[in-house]
Amino acid sequence: MSDIIQLLPDHVANQIAAGEVVQRPASVVKELLENAIDAGATNIKLLLKDAGKTLIQVIDDGKGMSVTDARMCFERHATSKIKKAEDLFNLGTKGFRGEALASIAAIAHVALKTKEEHQELGTCIKIEGSKVISQDVVNTAKGTSIAVKNLFYNIPARRNFLKSDTVETRHIVDEFLRVVLAHPSITFLLHHNNNEVYHLKSTNLRKRIVAVFGTKMNEKLVPIDEQTDILNITGFVAKPEFSKRKRGEQFFFVNDRFIKSSYLNHAVVNAFDGLLEQGTHPSYFLYLKVPNHTIDINIHPTKTEIKFDNEKALYAMLRATVKHSLGQYSIAPVLDFERDATLDTSYHQTKNTSYASVPKVLVDPDFNPFKEVKQSEIRFPFKREQKNEQWESLYTSVLTSDDKQEELFTENEDKVQKTFQIQRKYVMSLIKSGVVLIHQSLAHQRILYEEFLESITVKEANSQQLLFPVKISFSSQEIEMIYTIKTELENAGFSFDEFTKDSVTIKGIPVSVTESKITIILEELLSDINLEVPDTSFSHFDVMAKSFAKTLAIKTGTKLSEKEQEALVNDLFSCKEPNISPFGKSTFKTLTLNEIDNLFNS
């Protein structure tokens, strides 16, 4: 029997490794930016073409590389970050595996230019699919410039799985922002297709956050600062009134490395307990400093997951620190133990305590416990209190009286009620064969979805002009996104007055939208567009209609009048697809009389 196990060639092994390290252009951007930071750069430029598919170039003014290092850096498991296994428990750099450049060079055309400060000339190396094409001496500036062209040129299947330029650019910007927020002291420049997207100068953390997310962010921030023996916490949380319905602006950094942690996120949300509206999430930018030996970052290729030695202690400290800052800056109510307790009582009451009236005792002089009385003669000496419908109604059924029962279930000549609301969540409608149970929120979503889709694509939407235009602040990334779908929004009924770098002025809105919900609708829409929707005109219309319907639909807990219930039922069954919501959930269920009978016969 012949041997069948063999070593893979290096170029094949590199392509397999690239599948873990390089998932999309954003992965390349992350690795190159982190290498530039590890090199001690103070100025970093990121140049993109076609969302990184054609070109990703990072230029830095770091320490550069020697001729030998420039050639060695593209070998697998070659790194300057660690030398022995023990170094894994004391990492102070972004990278350490030595896989990124080798993986990138295996699936792209790479051109590297680098020069050390004390050298007169630098080195230029060109590689295609792990093969070195040329190595020359070149006159270049101090630092390193690495250009990655034609990503996935030799793996067509992976290239075909890439999303649209809009989506891939969004992923790149996300990675870029995670790096720039972790290093406010470094100057960053981002160009896409020769257009400047970000130019962030060296500054402090607060100004960096404001520069990224817009000037309005400055008034939202509450500073966080706590120093302990095992943990230092700095950064900012946003005030509760600026909470969002999506988790967009939530950033954790551990030792200047962006991480994702649902456990620590729960600690922050817990600190906001009682301050947030239902369904909203707080924004935060939190920086944790812990000893390097107390964390393990070598558990995931993207290095966004970290294991802590003592997670419970970190949880408690993080929660207490955020809660303390919210109280310190009068965001949350706190107890003041130095307060004079007499201030809680009015002056008039404290001065007249000696004139307190004696309580009256009511006695029935005719009461005789030994007297025999008939049932009809029983009297109540005291007047009964009037029923409190507000709390007693919780314990009563829908049938509160005989009159009500007769009204609901007896066919009168005047009127028969055909719909009933159950727990302010479902609407029950009577039909000949039984009953229909309708989910009021999902049904309304279907109704609004078809109305919006028709108004956007078929007929011209009605727009109402605002008496005073509304100016809304967004980040520059969000402004760019709104501008790209400006035509679709105008077809839906929006009317825009002015676009700036960090705000948009709206002068008209769809008739079905109230002014107070403009910000919520646009935030929800931007979040939904972020869910990797293909870049086609119909898809933008579709996601817009779904987003509007989800935001504006009546919610569970909303009380509906009888007319509103009937309108909901009639509008639902006038839809083209009344049985499912825009998101694929059932809007109603039918129970026939036979099915109801079977419930009691089983």
Side-chain angles (χ1 to χ4, degrees):
M1 183 176 178
S2 60
D3 299 331
I4 59 174
I5 297 178
Q6 60 183 351
L7 286 174
L8 289 173
D10 287 343
H11 70 280
V12 177
N14 285 341
Q15 287 188 12
I16 294 173
E20 293 184 356
V21 179
V22 184
Q23 300 171 355
R24 60 194 335 148
S27 306
V28 177
V29 170
K30 174 183 180 293
E31 299 293 345
L32 297 184
L33 289 177
E34 289 182 348
N35 281 345
I37 292 169
D38 285 341
T42 58
N43 292 275
I44 299 176
K45 297 178 182 178
L46 173 60
L47 310 179
L48 305 170
K49 282 188 179 179
D50 302 326
K53 299 173 184 175
T54 303
L55 171 68
I56 300 172
Q57 185 174 9
V58 173
I59 306 170
D60 67 67
D61 60 352
K63 57 187 178 183
M65 290 182 282
S66 65
V67 177
T68 304
D69 288 344
R71 185 68 177 261
M72 184 66 71
C73 71
F74 291 104
E75 299 293 331
R76 287 192 69 197
H77 311 305
T79 179
S80 62
K81 315 299 171 61
I82 62 173
K83 291 186 172 141
K84 53 186 183 297
E86 289 75 12
D87 293 342
L88 287 172
F89 301 99
N90 192 26
L91 287 171
T93 57
K94 302 288 185 184
F96 55 87
R97 294 195 182 105
E99 293 180 341
L101 290 180
S103 298
I104 293 170
I107 55 175
H109 298 163
V110 179
L112 169 71
K113 292 182 181 180
T114 184
K115 190 189 85 165
E116 295 178 301
E117 187 174 6
H118 61 275
Q119 297 292 332
E120 292 184 6
L121 296 174
T123 305
C124 177
I125 297 179
K126 294 182 179 179
I127 298 179
E128 295 180 3
S130 297
K131 295 181 180 180
V132 177
I133 304 301
S134 65
Q135 179 174 336
D136 300 308
V137 177
V138 67
N139 184 16
T140 184
K142 174 216 167 192
T144 301
S145 169
I146 182 166
V148 179
K149 302 177 181 178
N150 305 321
L151 191 64
F152 299 124
Y153 81 99
N154 53 355
I155 311 180
R158 177 63 68 88
R159 190 176 181 90
N160 291 337
F161 275 106
L162 293 178
K163 303 296 181 181
S164 66
D165 284 0
T166 304
V167 172
E168 294 300 339
T169 302
R170 199 171 304 126
H171 282 285
I172 290 175
V173 171
D174 287 342
E175 292 292 350
F176 177 78
L177 294 183
R178 292 168 182 175
V179 174
V180 303
L181 289 173
H183 302 276
S185 60
I186 300 177
T187 298
F188 288 91
L189 187 67
L190 170 58
H191 277 217
H192 185 215
N193 293 337
N194 298 321
N195 295 321
E196 182 180 296
V197 181
Y198 286 100
H199 187 188
L200 306 170
K201 297 182 180 180
S202 174
T203 183
N204 58 38
L205 178 58
R206 188 181 193 112
K207 290 182 179 179
R208 173 58 57 88
I209 294 173
V210 171
V212 171
F213 293 98
T215 54
K216 193 176 180 181
M217 178 61 75
N218 191 38
E219 66 181 88
K220 303 179 183 179
L221 300 178
V222 177
I224 303 288
D225 190 5
E226 188 68 36
Q227 313 293 325
T228 68
D229 293 337
I230 64 173
L231 171 70
N232 293 340
I233 306 175
T234 56
F236 300 90
V237 295
K239 297 175 182 177
E241 59 264 31
F242 297 106
S243 59
K244 299 202 168 188
R245 300 194 175 272
K246 298 293 180 180
R247 297 183 176 95
E249 298 172 355
Q250 296 183 337
F251 295 88
F252 272 120
F253 299 92
V254 175
N255 295 354
D256 295 332
R257 183 190 301 275
F258 173 80
I259 69 160
K260 297 177 181 178
S261 174
S262 57
Y263 186 69
L264 296 181
N265 175 72
H266 188 273
V268 177
V269 173
N270 207 336
F272 278 86
D273 187 27
L275 300 175
L276 299 175
E277 292 184 17
Q278 187 176 6
T280 62
H281 306 275
S283 299
Y284 54 78
F285 309 86
L286 295 174
Y287 297 74
L288 283 63
K289 288 283 186 183
V290 297
N292 289 328
H293 66 272
T294 63
I295 59 174
D296 182 8
I297 59 177
N298 190 27
I299 60 175
H300 195 275
T302 61
K303 309 185 193 80
T304 55
E305 297 180 15
I306 289 183
K307 290 291 185 183
F308 297 94
D309 273 0
N310 194 345
E311 282 190 331
K312 291 185 178 180
L314 296 182
Y315 182 100
M317 290 181 183
L318 182 59
R319 178 182 177 277
T321 300
V322 174
K323 207 171 187 68
H324 173 71
S325 291
L326 291 174
Q328 185 180 12
Y329 290 89
S330 301
I331 306 301
V334 294
L335 292 176
D336 186 0
F337 293 100
E338 297 180 358
R339 183 178 182 180
D340 188 355
T342 59
L343 296 177
D344 293 337
T345 309
S346 67
Y347 178 83
H348 176 77
Q349 185 176 351
T350 57
K351 289 296 182 181
N352 294 279
T353 52
S354 59
Y355 297 99
S357 59
V358 178
K360 296 180 179 179
V361 179
L362 297 178
V363 179
D364 184 5
D366 299 327
F367 176 69
N368 182 357
F370 303 104
K371 181 182 179 181
E372 294 184 3
V373 293
K374 297 180 180 180
Q375 186 70 21
S376 59
E377 295 179 355
I378 295 178
R379 294 182 295 110
F380 294 94
F382 307 107
K383 185 179 179 181
R384 288 188 175 182
E385 293 184 3
Q386 189 175 358
K387 288 184 178 181
N388 188 344
E389 293 292 339
Q390 187 173 2
W391 68 267
E392 271 199 354
S393 60
L394 297 175
Y395 301 95
T396 59
S397 64
V398 178
L399 306 178
T400 56
S401 66
D402 294 339
D403 295 337
K404 187 68 174 179
Q405 185 174 359
E406 184 179 355
E407 178 187 350
L408 295 179
F409 292 96
T410 304
E411 293 191 9
N412 301 323
E413 296 180 357
D414 299 331
K415 175 187 176 184
V416 177
Q417 184 172 346
K418 295 182 179 180
T419 60
F420 312 96
Q421 192 177 22
I422 303 174
Q423 297 294 333
R424 297 189 178 183
K425 184 176 183 180
Y426 302 101
V427 173
M428 186 177 70
S429 178
L430 305 179
I431 57 176
K432 292 182 179 180
S433 60
V435 295
V436 176
L437 199 59
I438 300 170
H439 192 295
Q440 65 184 36
S441 182
L442 297 180
H444 200 212
Q445 286 181 19
R446 164 53 62 179
I447 296 167
L448 293 178
Y449 169 73
E450 293 198 3
E451 287 179 356
F452 277 120
L453 199 59
E454 183 181 9
S455 65
I456 294 173
T457 58
V458 179
K459 60 184 181 181
E460 186 177 351
N462 295 323
S463 177
Q464 55 179 339
Q465 297 300 305
L466 298 174
L467 185 60
F468 300 101
V470 176
K471 185 177 181 181
I472 306 175
S473 296
F474 290 103
S475 66
S476 55
Q477 179 188 1
E478 291 171 331
I479 291 293
E480 183 180 1
M481 198 183 306
I482 293 174
Y483 192 77
T484 58
I485 58 172
K486 178 174 176 283
T487 303
E488 290 90 337
L489 286 170
E490 288 175 340
N491 289 339
F494 283 92
S495 178
F496 299 95
D497 188 22
E498 182 184 13
F499 279 87
T500 65
K501 193 173 183 180
D502 57 3
S503 67
V504 58
T505 303
I506 299 174
K507 62 180 181 180
I509 57 178
V511 175
S512 56
V513 175
T514 59
E515 185 175 338
S516 60
K517 289 190 175 182
I518 297 176
T519 304
I520 297 174
I521 286 176
L522 291 180
E523 286 180 353
E524 288 278 355
L525 176 60
L526 294 177
S527 177
D528 290 337
I529 291 178
N530 270 329
L531 298 178
E532 300 192 5
V533 180
D535 191 13
T536 63
S537 57
F538 174 78
S539 293
H540 274 319
F541 289 137
D542 186 62
V543 73
M544 194 177 297
K546 286 181 178 178
S547 182
F548 289 170
K550 179 178 63 177
T551 307
L552 297 175
I554 55 176
K555 303 297 186 290
T556 296
T558 304
K559 185 177 181 180
L560 301 179
S561 65
E562 187 179 338
K563 289 184 178 180
E564 290 171 332
Q565 296 170 30
E566 292 179 358
L568 182 73
V569 174
N570 294 333
D571 291 344
L572 175 63
F573 290 103
S574 298
C575 293
K576 294 180 180 178
E577 296 185 30
N579 56 326
I580 58 171
S581 75
F583 303 94
K585 296 182 179 179
S586 298
T587 57
F588 67 88
K589 295 290 183 182
T590 302
L591 280 175
T592 65
L593 290 175
N594 290 335
E595 289 173 331
I596 297 174
D597 289 337
N598 290 334
L599 293 176
F600 296 94
N601 295 330
S602 58

